[in-house]
Amino acid sequence: MNSNVTSIKLVLLGEAAVGKSSIVLRFVSNDFAENKEPTIGAAFLTQRVNMADHTIKFEIWDTAGQERFASLAPMYYRNAQAALVVYDVTKPQSFIKARHWVKELHEQASKGIVIALVGNKMDLLESEEDRKVAKEEAEKLSQEENLLFFETSAKTGDNVNEVFLAIGEKIPLKK
Ligand code: GDP
């Protein structure tokens, strides 16, 4: 047993097809699939990250079908120390959904849960007109709700590791 390993239960929430599974695949395998089969039910994956003086083992629950089974969501985020709430920067509706998830987590999840708001698919922005969720709007929500905030691309890998590192830094070490 390595006493310097801290396990963190992390859940992913967000509208279908925003790229939740792709973010996990990028983080765990440094890979991307253009035409991914949707996740059915829940996928469980782990990934270790070396921090300055300890190791974090992320235990990642990638839930699917939350739209149809919203009532099952509490089962996933109960006891979670961290959550990624993901939206697609080209889909305004997915940002509205993200707001709802943040609210629900603050009402129902463990106190002290570290939440990262993640605007994904940044690679699709060839010009500013392609962007449908303003960065300022997401930053404002993050300040109000005490969220970490990142804009990522699971496709290019841009900023994906940074999300998990920032979560790792924010979670207190178990003594
Ligand atoms: P989930 O339902 O939220 O888990 O979304 P998926 O990870 O299954 O991704 C849905 C679709 O979006 C798939 O076709 C992915 O290849 C694609 N996708 C995911 N992330 C990105 C990204 O960062 N950029 C682009 N261009 N496509 C992405």
Side-chain angles (χ1 to χ4, degrees), residues 14-23 32-39 62 120-124 152-156:
E15 191 169 74
V18 294
K20 298 182 292 300
S21 303
S22 299
I23 288 171
F32 179 74
E34 200 68 55
N35 293 304
K36 252 193 78 294
E37 292 292 320
T39 309
D62 177 16
N120 190 41
K121 306 201 185 182
M122 282 296 284
D123 60 282
L124 293 179
T152 63
S153 167
K155 184 166 181 172
T156 65

Side-chain angles (χ1 to χ4, degrees), residues 15 30 40 53 61 82-83 88 101 108 114 117 122-123 126 139 148 150 152 157 173:
E15 191 169 74
N30 197 18
I40 308 290
D53 56 356
W61 290 89
D88 173 341
W101 280 119
Q108 314 262 4
V114 175
L117 180 66
M122 282 296 284
D123 60 282
E126 280 170 16
E139 281 171 342
L148 296 166
F150 289 89
T152 63
L173 262 179

Side-chain angles (χ1 to χ4, degrees), residues 5-128:
V5 177
T6 306
S7 293
I8 294 179
K9 179 182 171 186
L10 178 145
V11 294
L12 281 101
L13 297 166
E15 191 169 74
V18 294
K20 298 182 292 300
S21 303
S22 299
I23 288 171
V24 176
L25 184 65
R26 174 60 73 191
F27 175 55
V28 172
S29 306
N30 197 18
D31 199 1
F32 179 74
E34 200 68 55
N35 293 304
K36 252 193 78 294
E37 292 292 320
T39 309
I40 308 290
F44 176 71
L45 288 159
T46 65
Q47 174 71 326
R48 286 172 185 250
V49 175
N50 293 323
M51 308 296 285
D53 56 356
H54 68 297
T55 299
I56 289 179
K57 182 183 171 201
F58 284 100
E59 301 174 347
I60 305 169
W61 290 89
D62 177 16
T63 64
Q66 296 143 8
E67 302 69 36
R68 278 176 296 154
F69 305 112
S71 60
L72 288 183
M75 195 173 87
Y76 293 114
Y77 59 65
R78 195 168 300 143
N79 306 323
Q81 287 119 301
L84 300 196
V85 176
V86 184
Y87 64 94
D88 173 341
V89 291
T90 70
K91 296 259 156 54
Q93 180 59 34
S94 73
F95 185 70
I96 294 172
K97 262 277 175 58
R99 277 187 193 279
H100 288 299
W101 280 119
V102 168
K103 185 162 176 278
E104 180 166 334
L105 285 171
H106 277 149
E107 284 167 8
Q108 314 262 4
S110 315
K111 294 266 169 293
I113 187 170
V114 175
I115 305 173
L117 180 66
V118 178
N120 190 41
K121 306 201 185 182
M122 282 296 284
D123 60 282
L124 293 179
L125 306 189
E126 280 170 16
S127 73
E128 262 310 297

Side-chain angles (χ1 to χ4, degrees), residues 104-175:
E104 180 166 334
L105 285 171
H106 277 149
E107 284 167 8
Q108 314 262 4
S110 315
K111 294 266 169 293
I113 187 170
V114 175
I115 305 173
L117 180 66
V118 178
N120 190 41
K121 306 201 185 182
M122 282 296 284
D123 60 282
L124 293 179
L125 306 189
E126 280 170 16
S127 73
E128 262 310 297
E129 279 114 71
D130 298 327
R131 179 193 273 279
K132 300 293 182 234
V133 181
K135 189 174 187 185
E136 294 70 28
E137 202 182 345
E139 281 171 342
K140 182 164 174 278
L141 178 67
S142 304
Q143 275 163 15
E144 286 165 3
E145 301 288 343
N146 190 26
L147 317 172
L148 296 166
F149 169 59
F150 289 89
E151 291 185 325
T152 63
S153 167
K155 184 166 181 172
T156 65
D158 196 32
N159 247 358
V160 172
N161 284 343
E162 283 77 359
V163 177
F164 292 87
L165 283 175
I167 288 173
E169 277 164 11
K170 222 179 156 184
I171 291 194
L173 262 179
K174 276 186 201 133
K175 287 277 155 6

